[in-house]
Amino acid sequence: MWEGGGSGVERDGDFIAFYRRDRDRLCRTVTVTVGDASLAVEAVDEAFVRAYERWDQVRGCRQPAAWVYRVAVNWATSWRRKWSRRPTRPVEELDRAHDDRALDTDVLARLRGLPAAHRETLVLRFVFDLSVVDTAEALGVSPGTVKSRVSRALRMLARQPEVLR
Amino acid sequence: MNDVERIVAEFHTAVEAVWDPPPGDVGAVMRRGRRRRILSRAAVAGVGAALVAAVTGAAVALLPVGGPSEVAGPEVEHVDPPAADDASADRGPAPDEGSEDADCSAAGMDANLPPQDLPVPVAETRQRIAEAAVACDYQRLETLAATTSEFIYSFGGGDEPATHWQQREADGEDVLAELVTLLELEPGTTDPGDVAGEMHVWPAVFALDDPSRDDFGPVIDAGLYTEDDVERWLEMTGEYGGYRVGIDKAGHWRFFVAGD
């Protein structure tokens, strides 16, 4: 018979703070990775539900946001495989409220030219600031693969790729 | 800033500026998470019970008559809830069902529940639970609960279900009367695609993701809870937080619990 659990007030408080701090950033990074804003929002919500279900474990991770990001990207990828005809909301059609921010559409265009695995690697490595080893572990690849993906991705993002060669 | 740093900075800026997502609803996320926690525990319990049944069946038969496929899968449907008669036989003398000696909040209530459109196994378990509660037969209730190994009756730890419910009654909480009253209300069903599969739950409001105040009407009208209770739940979690009962489609009683 199950009788576990706890009062959960502190636990819930931690989760709410985490959600409020990281949710928008996760929506953006998943959008950049999967290229579909509506799907990204759904995926991030789903990943947060899963994080809350097992919050005692997830909050013990070094980077809970990276955990949510990976779950969201996997969920979105799997969902897209099953429902390929679903209407999408591509990045080009998004409402941008940050008019004051320098949006480099060239960078976005070049990002879209990268394979999804490379976008994912860049996000984990530079947005969530994971080390090469942690990024490799999160993606289930070798550190060498992470390094080569990062190197190739940065070359593709550079306006003058030759500077990185 | 070197070239790599500059490109990474541009990447950061692009990600930050890509768009402003619509506002999130952390309350809705937590409600979905809580419901899944309960349902997943119930699902684990069902698989556990089915595995026990499969192993027991294999041990009795020694050799499967129809080949390996007969014991291959933990089919929940293969686990029959015990008959009420079996339960009382296991626990010694029959309880004072409906007698004057029965002493609990449900004593004297009508065990003949209003008919509902339910699958037969669910209807049978619902009826057996009500009969055991009205008879104040805690042991029979515990036996009905034991058709799954992880029946949920408390989030706070403590004794076995029979002792737990008996103690709540002794503390003045009409827990068995609430159980019978809940089963008189209309049920809801959980999503068949959810982790625990389709399950009938009482009251129906527990099955709703985003209930309105009107959805709480039946539990208020039945005298189970007050409008103040509903306001508190809506403020704290946005969902029903009172006692609820869950029975899966195979007729296993999965939970009778309140709070989260």
Side-chain angles (χ1 to χ4, degrees):
Chain A
M1 306 265 174
W2 189 88
E3 51 192 315
S7 72
V9 174
E10 182 191 346
R11 181 182 184 282
D12 283 358
D14 280 355
F15 180 81
I16 291 167
F18 167 59
Y19 181 92
R20 289 185 176 150
R21 186 183 61 241
D22 285 298
R23 189 253 181 190
D24 284 2
R25 179 173 62 143
L26 281 158
C27 286
R28 292 188 182 108
T29 50
V30 175
T31 299
V32 166
T33 308
V34 304
D36 176 345
S38 305
L39 181 59
V41 170
E42 275 184 54
V44 168
D45 271 355
E46 173 62 27
F48 267 115
V49 170
R50 294 183 188 189
Y52 182 70
E53 274 183 87
R54 45 185 74 78
W55 183 233
D56 288 336
Q57 291 86 49
V58 174
R59 71 172 164 177
C61 296
R62 264 176 292 184
Q63 274 277 16
W67 187 94
V68 171
Y69 169 78
R70 283 288 295 149
V71 171
V73 170
N74 287 341
W75 185 89
T77 306
S78 162
W79 207 97
R80 185 181 267 155
R81 265 192 219 113
K82 277 192 245 174
W83 309 100
S84 55
R85 290 185 189 171
R86 176 186 184 276
T88 61
R89 193 176 176 209
V91 177
E92 292 84 348
E93 295 174 9
L94 300 178
D95 306 320
R96 296 193 178 91
H98 294 295
D99 293 336
D100 55 333
R101 253 184 246 173
L103 175 61
D104 189 335
T105 51
D106 286 347
V107 172
L108 278 183
R110 287 195 291 270
L111 263 175
R112 280 195 297 280
L114 288 173
H118 288 61
R119 293 196 293 265
E120 213 174 333
T121 307
L122 275 188
V123 167
L124 288 172
R125 181 76 185 87
F126 296 117
V127 177
F128 295 108
D129 222 16
L130 297 191
S131 68
V132 169
V133 171
D134 287 345
T135 303
E137 192 181 313
L139 294 172
V141 298
S142 71
T145 301
V146 170
K147 285 179 189 169
S148 66
R149 281 183 188 171
V150 166
S151 171
R152 178 163 178 246
L154 291 178
R155 275 202 305 275
M156 290 184 73
L157 290 182
R159 283 200 185 83
Q160 298 172 295
E162 64 278 8
V163 301
L164 297 178
R165 291 182 191 279
Chain B
M1 184 182 283
N2 65 32
D3 289 321
V4 170
E5 288 170 343
R6 181 181 50 75
I7 295 163
V8 169
E10 284 178 0
F11 169 65
H12 262 284
T13 306
V15 170
E16 278 300 302
V18 68
W19 74 310
D20 271 351
D25 183 350
V26 66
V29 165
M30 290 164 73
R31 283 196 295 279
R32 285 169 61 194
R34 279 193 201 100
R35 183 166 295 112
R36 281 200 203 163
R37 275 212 305 261
I38 289 174
L39 295 177
S40 62
R41 284 168 192 154
V44 168
V47 171
L51 281 171
V52 168
V55 170
T56 306
V60 169
L62 289 179
L63 288 171
V65 176
S69 63
E70 292 218 341
V71 291
E75 294 292 333
V76 171
E77 287 75 5
H78 293 172
V79 186
D80 296 325
D85 291 346
D86 296 340
S88 50
D90 288 344
R91 298 287 180 176
D96 297 326
E97 184 169 347
S99 77
E100 291 176 359
D101 294 338
D103 184 18
C104 72
S105 60
M109 291 180 77
D110 189 353
N112 294 310
L113 299 172
Q116 291 177 344
D117 185 17
L118 299 169
V120 171
V122 177
E124 287 177 353
T125 299
R126 170 179 175 249
Q127 188 58 43
R128 286 173 186 154
I129 294 169
E131 287 168 2
V134 168
C136 304
D137 189 341
Y138 295 98
Q139 292 301 332
R140 188 160 23 134
L141 284 170
E142 185 167 308
T143 303
L144 287 167
T147 57
T148 57
S149 60
E150 295 188 25
F151 173 79
I152 301 166
Y153 61 97
S154 165
F155 292 127
D159 306 307
E160 289 301 296
T163 313
H164 175 79
W165 293 326
Q166 215 156 3
Q167 187 58 52
R168 303 299 284 257
E169 286 272 337
D171 292 342
E173 189 177 344
D174 296 338
V175 64
L176 296 197
E178 290 198 42
L179 175 58
V180 177
T181 307
L182 280 170
L183 292 172
E184 290 171 346
L185 301 180
E186 283 300 313
T189 51
T190 57
D191 185 349
D194 219 313
V195 282
E198 188 172 347
M199 192 183 300
H200 283 80
V201 294
W202 290 260
V205 66
F206 178 64
L208 301 177
D209 272 338
D210 193 14
S212 68
R213 278 180 174 70
D214 288 346
D215 294 321
F216 291 88
V219 294
I220 295 172
D221 295 342
L224 287 169
Y225 296 99
T226 65
E227 289 183 3
D228 287 346
D229 292 322
V230 171
E231 287 304 320
R232 197 177 69 249
W233 294 330
L234 288 174
E235 189 180 326
M236 290 175 66
T237 65
E239 67 177 2
Y240 177 77
Y243 273 105
R244 57 268 188 180
V245 179
I247 301 174
D248 69 23
K249 64 181 180 182
H252 301 118
W253 188 13
R254 295 302 192 85
F255 53 80
F256 172 47
V257 69
D260 57 55

